Amino acid sequence: MSQLTQQEPQAESADAGPMVRCEGVRKSFGTVEVLKGIDLEVQRGEVVCMIGPSGSGKSTMLRCINHLERVDAGRVWVDGEIVGYEQQGNKLYELADKEICRRRTQVGMVFQHFNLFPHKTVLENLVEAPRLALGESKAVASERALGLLDQVGLADKRAAYPRHLSGGQQQRVAIARALCMQPKLMLFDEPTSALDPELVGDVLAVMKDLAANGMTMVVVTHEMGFARDVANWVAFFDGGQIVERGTPEQVLGDPSHDRTKAFLSAVR
Amino acid sequence: MPSLDIATRETHAPVNELTVVAKRHPGRWLAALVVLLVAAALVRSVMQNPRFQWDVVNLYLRDFSIGKGLWLTIWLTAVSMAISVVLGVLIAVMRLSANPVLRAGAFAYVWFFRGTPLLVQLLFWYNVAALYPVISFGLPGVHLNANHLITPLTAAILGLGLNQGAYQSEIVRAGIISVDHGQGEAAAALGLTRGQTMRRIVLPQAMRVIVPPTGNETISMLKNTSLVSVLAVPDLLYSAQIIYNRTFQPIPLLLIACIWYLVVTTVLTVGQYYVERRFARGNHVLPSTPWQRMRTLLKTHTPMAKGSAR
């Protein structure tokens, strides 16, 4: 595995091995240990939902997958490359910023609060990163961006500023913005938690579409319905550990762990 | 019962025959009157007091040396502000850096240049040749005579620019901090480098917070440049001083300086208004400019518009 760090990003490292692999991931903020040794594997084309109470570490785990958080111990691989580090012998060397950025271009992320760039129009939000990070021409990036906006049902909003869109529309733009980088993996951090209930459906529909088209997705969510319908499997987080995992039917329908039962009965 | 009668008439009055009568504000009229009277008295005394010597003001207002001084004042303001903005961004970024040495260096800079009077700093730069007669920048072969290099004008630029840089860095820092943390994260998650994130995402948004106080500082700088008259730099104030030292008419010539400072300040204020609008894009619905408001007002109050509304 250690040799794979030298590979080309798009090289069909593929087929073989999982898209995401986490091994004994630990992370502390100050004296609080928020991840206590997480092991996780997401296969290509899988949709995984991470559920659990606030502060259970699920969002932190997600952020470790694109190195927004640095792990204290353990390793995370995305498509065969160790995230944020290069292993030589038994040492992990943190990568140069440039290399970290290059790898992040392959992983899309959607945030709870959308985090669209408010000073740029919808279309500018989409083409900014492809132009700066991938060095694409405006024409090429715009063409793909317009296609994606059409896909999320917002082609007519290309010239609008984010401020003038509803939360649901903003989140769909954010998804399109992430997809515009043509990522091989998408991370969702509570994408519907900040939305009015009636706007949640539109965003979930876009995500279901994406899943149906074979995108590998890791989703932190409180939408049990989405987890049941779309997820290949579900991980229940509590106190920095995955206490239960399995198919949605198992975890959500017939949980075996007391903590899971308590959480699910409170959520329903 | 008559009261019932009135009540029925009131409720049954046709809606479109009712007239709205606004509340009267006699207190406001009175206050406005007082202010107008005071203003009139002030204008009258200024106009009638011959010791203001308005004829002399008129004589020198467009004098060539005053014009040259005015130009130098504007030039000095622009150059010093340009230096301070570049320096301000640099020091603000240093101040927010992860490197403790850079942070401490930025802090020390602000501490020193904000902690000593501008006038003293100007005099120091003017006399820097006493400390370093030869400037070599530590490079072999470089051998510059400080007395030739640091002219009064360079001393003025250095003093004003470096001092303002300290203030400007605090303004820029406040602007950068005001940008939501999620913006940097979103940019990072998209694979933008830290430099790209700062230039393309954070700073443009910080501008909304940076521009208003910077406009303020520019106006402040315009007047602070008058301090360079102590270095005998012929700015607007010093040019006026040169004339009144010859003619012994300080009051009218100081009035001339004031008039020109006010004119430039007015221009800068209008400029600031439009620059602020430019950087408020996407943030909220922009209110119309006074010019646009005036046109709307004229439009809605022409008889034709009124007639068509009926």
Side-chain angles (χ1 to χ4, degrees), chain B residues 262-278:
Chain B
L262 280 171
V263 167
V264 180
T265 303
T266 309
V267 172
L268 287 175
T269 307
V270 173
Q272 182 186 355
Y273 179 82
Y274 284 96
V275 173
E276 276 177 29
R277 284 175 66 88
R278 172 76 172 69

Side-chain angles (χ1 to χ4, degrees), chain B residues 182-258:
Chain B
Q183 292 290 311
E185 277 196 343
L190 284 165
L192 301 194
T193 64
R194 268 189 271 192
Q196 288 170 334
T197 303
M198 185 55 81
R199 277 198 315 278
R200 304 280 306 186
I201 307 301
V202 177
L203 278 179
Q205 294 183 59
M207 288 306 274
R208 199 169 50 87
V209 172
I210 292 172
V211 166
T214 302
N216 217 13
E217 293 290 319
T218 307
I219 288 167
S220 184
M221 171 67 86
L222 176 75
K223 289 158 300 158
N224 280 344
T225 54
S226 64
L227 287 174
V228 303
S229 58
V230 299
L231 310 183
V233 173
D235 73 322
L236 177 56
L237 176 64
Y238 193 67
S239 303
Q241 286 173 331
I242 290 172
I243 296 175
Y244 74 64
N245 283 338
R246 197 175 64 227
T247 65
F248 303 105
Q249 293 165 315
I251 295 295
L253 280 144
L254 289 175
L255 280 175
I256 288 171
C258 285

Side-chain angles (χ1 to χ4, degrees), chain A residues 63 66 97 101 104 107 111 115-120 128-129 132-133 161 163 177 181, chain B residues 180 182-183 185-194 196 200-201 204-205 281-283:
Chain A
R63 294 160 58 84
N66 66 355
D97 283 352
C101 289
R104 277 179 181 153
V107 181
F111 299 86
N115 296 356
L116 292 179
F117 305 133
H119 60 305
K120 294 185 179 292
E128 184 75 4
L132 287 178
Y161 284 99
R163 172 64 60 109
R177 177 175 71 175
M181 295 294 286
Chain B
D180 179 39
Q183 292 290 311
E185 277 196 343
L190 284 165
L192 301 194
T193 64
R194 268 189 271 192
Q196 288 170 334
R200 304 280 306 186
I201 307 301
Q205 294 183 59
R281 263 179 326 166
N283 265 292

Side-chain angles (χ1 to χ4, degrees), chain B residues 13-28:
Chain B
V15 175
N16 48 5
E17 278 180 19
L18 292 175
T19 317
V20 177
V21 180
K23 203 198 306 174
R24 306 281 177 211
H25 295 282
R28 286 188 198 172

Side-chain angles (χ1 to χ4, degrees), chain B residues 17 30 44 60 65 75-76 78 96 112 161 165 167 209 212 228 254 260 264 273 278 282 304:
Chain B
E17 278 180 19
L30 193 70
R44 185 165 170 271
Y60 287 106
S65 66
W75 185 84
L76 209 51
L96 296 167
F112 180 81
Y167 289 94
V209 172
V228 303
L254 289 175
W260 283 118
V264 180
Y273 179 82
R278 172 76 172 69
M304 232 176 72

